Each structure stands twice: as C-alpha cells, then as structure tokens.
C-alpha cells in the first residue's frame, strides 16, 4: 500500500476555488434602536471559498476533477488555485478548460514544468473485494489517504445528485468526506481506477463517511479526456427528445403496460436524431443498448451520458409491440431544445 500511495499521491492536488458573489446585506447604523426597525438592505460583493481535490493526468498540466468542485456554470468568475503536496509544495493558478455536466467531470490546466502525473488504470479490470485507496483533501486538511476495498461495481444511483446523473459507479468503503471530491481512487498498484465523487450517509449529509462512497470510473473519464484533447471542449450531445415522463401505475394501466419501468416520450423535436431514428411521442423507452431502463430519471441519465457521434439502440414499446430503433447523436444546436 505504501508504494501505491508513493506512486499516485505526488500528482494529487488540493483545489481551492474563490468566487465573487453578490449578497444582500442589512444596513447598519450607529443607532441600535434604528437598526432594530431598519428595512434597508444593500448589495455587496464578497469572496466565497470552497475546496476539493484533483489529479494531474499528463505533463501538459491537465488536471481532472469533479464539475461540482469548481462550482459548475460560472467558471470564468472564479479564481482557481491548486496546491501540490510536499516535497513539491507549489501553488499554481489553474485555468478552467471545460466540463461534462452530465457526468460531473471537469478539466483544469496549469502552466508549469516537471509536473508529476498520476498513472491511469483500467476500471474494466477491477474486482469486488480488491484494495482501494482514496487520496484527497478532506475538510481542507491537506493530503490525506484512506484505505478500503471495492465494495461493488456498476452502481446506478436511482436519483440524480443535484444536476448530475451518475451511472456505472464504483462503490468503496474507503473513507470519502467533503473535500475528497475530484481526487483519485487508486488500486494496489497505484493506478487511478476512479474519481471520488459523493457519499451516501442515509441522512441529510450532515455527517461524514459511513463507508458508502462512490467514484466515477476512470474509463468514463477517459472518454471525457479524449473529447477534450480532440475538440478542446466537451461538445454537448443532442437527441432531440424534449420531454420524458415518469410512468405511474395509473399511467401503466391506461397504456396497458406490464410495469412502471421505462420512460414515456412526451415530445421530440422535428428533424432531430430521435425523429430521424423513428421515435414518436407516446413511445415508452424500456432499454438503451440492452440496458434496462428503470425510470424516466434513469433514461435521462443514460441519454445525457452519451457523446456526440455515439450510436445507440433504443428499445421502445409502441401499441404493444417492441421496436428497435437506431439513433446517432449530434452536436447540440443552440437554437433547438431537448437532450
């Protein structure tokens, strides 16, 4: 385990994000009596800080982390710095490159020489029960290591976590806490097999790790990195499916469906990939690429996880018959709607 940590930890960085936010402040006067009844507020800017983790993936200075670590949708308004662990100890300003919001991944870049690089493994070649090491910056304490095992593979959380749809996750009991997000989950050889992303606590997340943590597989991240290297950003995929609806028992009875699994297609865009594939409003998507769809959220998550030029097979129910439709995703045109 020591050699694995020594191999991976030099490339693990602590990420610090400073955001300028505007908030309403109550006007304070020198008269305490007036303060009690004062209805006046004014807008003021202040700095808001957050921390997380990431790791360097190549000598060009690209750093992989979670999108939620950098805060998502207004990266250009942020100051992002990364700190390398000792004995290097450098603190570098990082530039935001791009995000994949659907899978909660982001890329930063630093300009520096002699950067350590984390070796990437193969998440398709891991087994339940093998050692797993989480490295990161929990609670901004600095470089921290925790050890456990791979508890399960291919976990699909039933609900999205905020704006993020997680699929095919690696579950581990290695302690993951706030601040670990974006850091690597490595195997006993020191190779990165996942990106630590969130934990389950059974409550309102007011407590720390209880041994149920989830990491995005490194093979999912490889697709993201390939997209960045080839196109300089993540191209937003488009299917043309504008709305999906959850199938309730009442709706299943009305449509004569055998179960409430799958997603009802409510609306699709004309001349879209879905339209050209033959998908129609009223169809029920029950599987994508032979993967069974449990709900509308599940279906939306799979569709948002696909990339431009990907082809997928939709299994749909239409008037009691099962149809197989082939759909090829396109880059999202800004003037259109839908996924």
């Amino acid at each position: 385990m020591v050699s694995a940590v020594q191999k991976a930890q030099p490339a693990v960085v602590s990420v610090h994000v400073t955001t300028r936010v505007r908030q309403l402040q109550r006007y304070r006067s020198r008269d305490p009596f007036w303060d009690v009844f004062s209805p006046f507020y004014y807008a003021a800017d202040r700095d808001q800080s957050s921390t997380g983790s990431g790791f360097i993936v190549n000598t060009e200075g690209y750093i992989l982390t979670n999108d939620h670590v950098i805060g998502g949708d207004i990266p250009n308004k942020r100051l992002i710095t990364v700190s390398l662990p000792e004995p290097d100890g450098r603190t570098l300003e990082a530039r935001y490159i791009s995000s994949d919001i659907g899978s909660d991944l982001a890329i930063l870049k630093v300009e520096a020489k002699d950067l350590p690089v984390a070796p990437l493994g193969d998440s398709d070649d891991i087994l339940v029960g093998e050692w797993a090491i989480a490295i990161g910056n929990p609670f901004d304490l600095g470089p921290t290591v925790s050890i456990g095992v791979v508890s399960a593979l291919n976990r699909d959380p039933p609900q999205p976590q905020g704006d993020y749809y997680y699929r095919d996750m690696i579950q581990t009991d290695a302690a993951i806490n706030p601040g670990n997000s974006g850091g690597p989950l490595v195997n006993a050889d020191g190779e990165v097999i996942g990106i630590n992303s969130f934990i389950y606590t059974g409550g309102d997340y007011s407590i720390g790790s209880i041994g149920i943590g989830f990491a995005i597989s490194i093979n999912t991240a490889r697709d993201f990195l390939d997209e960045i290297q080839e196109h300089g950003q993540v191209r937003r995929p488009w299917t043309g499916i504008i709305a999906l609806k959850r199938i309730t028992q009442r709706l299943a009875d009305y449509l004569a469906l055998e179960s409430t699994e799958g997603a009802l297609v409510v609306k699709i865009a004309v001349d879209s990939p879905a339209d050209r594939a033959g998908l129609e409003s009223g169809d029920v998507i029950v599987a994508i690429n032979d993967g069974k769809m449990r709900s509308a959220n599940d279906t939306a998550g799979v569709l948002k996880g696909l990339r431009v030029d990907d082809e997928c097979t939709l299994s749909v129910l239409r008037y009691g018959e099962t149809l197989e439709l082939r759909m090829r995703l396109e880059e999202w045109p800004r003037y259109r709607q839908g996924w």
Side-chain angles (χ1 to χ4, degrees):
M1 291 302 148
V2 173
S3 61
V5 173
Q6 291 174 338
K7 190 176 180 180
Q9 190 173 40
V12 181
V13 300
S14 300
V15 180
H16 295 86
V17 181
T18 302
T19 309
R20 196 70 171 169
V21 297
R22 173 155 291 194
Q23 293 184 334
L24 288 177
Q25 304 284 340
R26 188 172 182 176
Y27 178 77
R28 299 290 182 182
S29 70
R30 295 183 179 180
D31 185 342
F33 178 81
W34 174 255
D35 281 346
V36 173
F37 299 99
S38 172
F40 298 110
Y41 290 81
Y42 65 96
D45 292 334
R46 72 176 186 87
D47 287 339
Q48 179 175 290
S49 299
S50 60
T51 61
S53 306
F55 56 97
I56 303 169
V57 295
N58 59 32
T59 55
E60 297 176 4
Y62 285 94
I63 296 171
L64 185 61
T65 185
N66 284 132
D67 179 70
H68 76 259
V69 167
I70 60 168
D73 58 353
I74 49 172
N76 294 330
K77 298 182 180 180
R78 294 174 167 81
L79 171 66
I80 306 173
T81 60
V82 299
S83 301
L84 279 74
E86 299 294 344
D88 188 306
R90 284 178 288 179
T91 296
L92 306 168
E93 185 170 338
R95 177 166 56 93
Y96 169 81
I97 299 297
S98 187
S99 290
D100 184 349
I101 298 177
S103 58
D104 189 19
L105 292 171
I107 281 286
L108 308 174
K109 192 176 190 300
V110 295
E111 303 295 337
K113 297 180 179 180
D114 302 320
L115 291 169
V117 175
L120 305 185
D122 182 357
S123 51
D124 290 337
D125 192 32
I126 58 178
L127 299 172
V128 173
E130 72 172 85
W131 291 107
I133 307 169
I135 308 176
N137 177 33
F139 301 107
D140 205 20
L141 293 173
T144 301
V145 174
S146 58
I147 296 177
V149 298
V150 174
S151 304
L153 298 171
N154 302 317
R155 289 293 198 203
D156 295 339
Q159 298 293 333
Q161 305 290 315
D163 294 329
Y164 306 111
Y165 290 83
Y166 295 104
R167 290 188 57 82
D168 299 324
M169 301 290 283
I170 301 169
Q171 182 181 327
T172 180
D173 65 348
I176 297 173
N177 287 290
N180 272 113
S181 290
L185 186 71
V186 306
N187 61 19
D189 294 325
E191 299 170 331
V192 179
I193 57 173
I195 301 93
N196 301 316
S197 298
F198 72 98
I199 60 175
Y200 175 77
T201 65
D204 59 359
Y205 295 89
S206 61
I207 60 177
S209 172
I210 61 171
I212 304 177
F214 296 93
I216 300 168
S217 72
I218 194 60
N219 287 2
T220 296
R222 283 181 188 275
D223 293 339
F224 170 63
L225 292 172
D226 290 344
E227 181 89 355
I228 295 293
Q229 290 177 346
E230 184 174 351
H231 301 282
Q233 63 179 353
V234 175
R235 298 173 298 163
R236 182 175 175 183
W238 185 56
T239 65
I241 300 174
I242 296 176
L244 295 172
K245 183 177 178 60
R246 179 175 68 92
I247 300 175
T248 62
Q249 186 59 56
R250 183 177 181 182
L251 186 58
D253 293 340
Y254 178 78
L255 296 174
L257 301 175
E258 294 182 357
S259 74
T260 59
E261 294 185 339
L264 177 66
V265 178
V266 178
K267 187 177 181 182
I268 60 174
V270 175
D271 196 27
S272 67
D275 185 31
R276 289 192 292 274
L279 194 67
E280 299 179 0
S281 298
D283 286 348
V284 176
I285 300 175
V286 293
I288 300 177
N289 291 336
D290 296 325
K292 190 175 182 180
M293 297 296 101
R294 298 169 299 181
S295 65
N297 278 333
D298 196 25
T299 306
V302 172
L303 293 173
K304 289 186 177 182
L306 298 174
R307 302 200 179 278
V308 176
D309 296 329
D310 280 354
E311 289 189 355
C312 66
T313 300
L314 306 177
S315 298
V316 303
L317 294 177
R318 182 185 299 167
Y319 303 120
E321 295 185 13
T322 301
L323 306 177
E324 302 291 327
L325 308 177
R326 194 72 177 168
M327 180 174 67
R328 185 183 183 90
L329 276 70
E330 299 175 0
E331 188 168 2
W332 184 72
R334 296 185 178 278
Y335 59 89
R336 302 300 293 267
Q337 292 180 311
W339 297 316

